[in-house]
Amino acid sequence: MTTVCDSTLVGDVVAGSAAGVRGMLWRLRPSEVRDVAVCASAEILRLEAIRVAAVDELALSPDEQVLCYRGVGRWLAANTMLQNAAGNKIAALGAALRVFPDITAQFEAGDLSLDHAAIIVAFCESPPKGMPDRALPSCMKTLLAAASGVEATTIKLRYAIAVLERIFESDDVPPGEDDDLNVLRISPTLNGRVAIKGDFDALTGEMLLSALSGLSMPKPAADGTPDQRSAAKRTADAFTELIRRYLDNAVTGVDGGQRPHVNVHITAKDLAEHRECATMRSETASDDGEFYGSAFDDDEPDVEDLDVGYMPWMGPLSVSLTRMLACDCMLSTVLMDGNGAPLDATPHKRLVTPEQRTALIARDKGCAFPNCDAVPAWCDAHHIKPWSVGGPTVMDNLTLLCRNHHRLIHSTSGFRGIWEIKMGNDHKPWFIPPAAIDPKQRRRRSTTRQGPVHRD
């Protein structure tokens, strides 16, 4: 991982004590403070790799002090400020990395976070049943690429895993969709309150987040004062309101009642395709298990030409569960071109139609600004060329932007024109940063919710 710790002052701050560091930072230029933050993050990755290796060495050769505990993870927690769960996670990762040198190399090079290393290891230890052993190195290479660099996100990595599970589809339920693992603990506390802790599958999480979204939005006071509640307080208030509305309406067990409003995006081809065809491999595998053809050209899975189900809040969803949901749902059609970009609707109105917004969500999946993870519910439809100067309301002139980035694009206080939005040949929005951020002004688009992006 490339760092920018060339400045002596930056190096001194990162290598020095945290005591009184604020008194040093205010003397630095903003660019140097940014370098401090980046260098400190790189140093954390380096130290995490060292800690994982040290803990694993103790697991292999424990001394009397470590043997006093039920595992090296608990020893680590007892002698640091970590909790048992975190200590056990570090110990488990260290043990797993012994048999995956490629993952170890990228993790120790500082180009892979601890959490992403754990996700990739979990996939490699329990790959889809339909995946042959010889495919594992290529799949691992794909996941390492998805988790590499500053643009790596957990959603992006999960998407790559979902696509690989799609290629080697089997009857196994992915852990993220296994509702048998769901738990919810509700317990009264000694001070008369109630503590809630739960863990749910992706579909249940999507329903819950969708139900809470509108109820948890900030609401200004009557005099226009901004909502002073924290995000956690707004969510708690929304949950209370959700329960109140449920009890007030008492709509339980009604046959033919409307399903929860869960939006799942998937191509018609993948929805209609018979689920067993992914395991037949008529084009990609021979009878002796040797692979050839499009799926493993150049020894890498072709993840760009396959699609999986996608939920706006929770991200990737297996095709199997998507097809199950499609058996009892309302289907909306969005016509797409060969690049996955929606075709146009009526351009003559200023406001985006519901059909166009549905198409925008299918294309952008949330805020299109690079590295933004805002979901569609938090986004506005933005005219790239303003309506006031003749910009039409067509898909090639629209993109989803969260409120923060929408304000940034429209701001008149020094930001106007710094970031430029252009529609690419793929009919998807690309963002050109100012020269101060990227001297070459290379175009980029959001990779938060999807696989690798090929740039010009």
Side-chain angles (χ1 to χ4, degrees), residues 49-307:
I50 293 174
R51 180 169 63 181
V52 168
V55 169
D56 190 47
E57 182 62 28
L58 284 174
L60 294 171
S61 303
D63 61 6
E64 290 81 1
Q65 290 194 34
V66 174
L67 289 172
C68 291
Y69 295 86
R70 288 188 293 131
V72 67
R74 287 180 174 269
W75 166 84
L76 180 65
N79 288 274
T80 63
M81 298 179 69
L82 295 175
Q83 299 299 309
N84 283 334
N88 290 335
K89 180 178 181 179
I90 291 170
L93 178 60
L97 288 177
R98 299 173 198 166
V99 295
F100 298 113
D102 290 345
I103 303 177
T104 302
Q106 188 160 316
F107 177 55
E108 293 181 349
D111 200 30
L112 183 66
S113 71
L114 185 147
D115 288 336
H116 288 171
I119 292 174
I120 297 174
V121 163
F123 175 88
C124 295
E125 288 183 328
S126 301
K129 286 186 176 180
M131 189 180 82
D133 292 341
R134 73 174 297 270
L136 182 58
S138 296
C139 292
M140 186 189 303
K141 185 177 180 181
T142 297
L143 297 182
L144 287 174
S148 173
V150 295
E151 291 186 347
T153 63
T154 302
I155 288 290
K156 181 179 176 181
L157 179 57
R158 284 181 50 222
Y159 182 89
I161 290 174
V163 170
L164 293 176
E165 290 174 339
R166 166 74 178 92
I167 295 174
F168 305 106
E169 193 171 1
S170 70
D171 292 329
D172 288 346
V173 178
E177 298 172 10
D178 189 354
D179 56 13
D180 287 340
L181 302 178
N182 290 0
V183 292
L184 179 63
R185 297 180 177 88
I186 304 177
S187 55
T189 64
L190 295 178
N191 62 355
R193 299 182 62 80
V194 173
I196 302 176
K197 183 177 181 180
D199 181 35
F200 295 97
D201 63 284
L203 181 58
T204 304
E206 182 75 13
M207 290 189 290
L208 179 60
L209 291 171
S210 297
L212 293 176
S213 175
L215 298 175
S216 61
M217 295 292 287
K219 297 178 181 178
D223 60 358
T225 304
D227 196 331
Q228 299 298 313
R229 297 175 299 167
S230 66
K233 180 65 168 73
R234 296 200 311 269
T235 302
D237 291 346
F239 190 65
T240 302
E241 180 64 19
L242 191 66
I243 297 171
R244 180 180 293 113
R245 293 187 183 187
Y246 171 80
L247 295 176
D248 287 345
N249 290 282
V251 181
T252 59
V254 177
D255 290 336
Q258 190 177 30
R259 292 287 188 183
H261 292 220
V262 174
N263 296 310
V264 180
H265 304 144
I266 190 167
T267 65
K269 173 181 176 294
D270 282 326
L271 181 61
E273 184 182 47
H274 191 276
R275 75 177 309 278
E276 291 182 355
C277 71
T279 60
M280 289 170 59
R281 315 240 167 262
S282 59
E283 296 181 359
T284 58
S286 61
D287 293 338
D288 59 2
E290 290 298 316
F291 280 69
Y292 56 89
S294 62
F296 279 86
D297 285 344
D298 302 322
D299 294 325
E300 286 192 50
D302 184 359
V303 299
E304 296 293 332
D305 294 333
L306 292 171
D307 200 3

Side-chain angles (χ1 to χ4, degrees), residues 271-401:
L271 181 61
E273 184 182 47
H274 191 276
R275 75 177 309 278
E276 291 182 355
C277 71
T279 60
M280 289 170 59
R281 315 240 167 262
S282 59
E283 296 181 359
T284 58
S286 61
D287 293 338
D288 59 2
E290 290 298 316
F291 280 69
Y292 56 89
S294 62
F296 279 86
D297 285 344
D298 302 322
D299 294 325
E300 286 192 50
D302 184 359
V303 299
E304 296 293 332
D305 294 333
L306 292 171
D307 200 3
V308 296
Y310 193 93
M311 298 182 295
W313 288 97
M314 295 298 295
L317 187 69
S318 73
V319 175
S320 299
L321 184 54
T322 303
R323 290 184 185 128
M324 184 195 76
L325 295 176
C327 291
D328 186 15
C329 72
M330 295 175 61
L331 291 176
S332 298
T333 301
V334 179
L335 296 179
M336 307 286 228
D337 64 14
N339 295 309
L343 301 178
D344 269 317
T346 305
H348 303 298
K349 294 184 178 180
R350 178 180 182 276
L351 298 179
V352 171
T353 66
E355 293 78 11
Q356 284 177 315
R357 184 170 179 85
T358 298
L360 283 172
I361 293 173
R363 185 192 70 190
D364 295 346
K365 297 182 173 67
C367 181
F369 198 89
N371 301 319
C372 183
D373 60 359
V375 295
W378 300 345
C379 295
D380 301 322
H382 168 69
H383 284 75
I384 297 173
K385 180 181 179 181
W387 169 267
S388 58
V389 295
T393 307
V394 296
M395 295 304 299
D396 275 359
N397 193 47
L398 295 171
T399 186
L400 287 181
L401 292 175

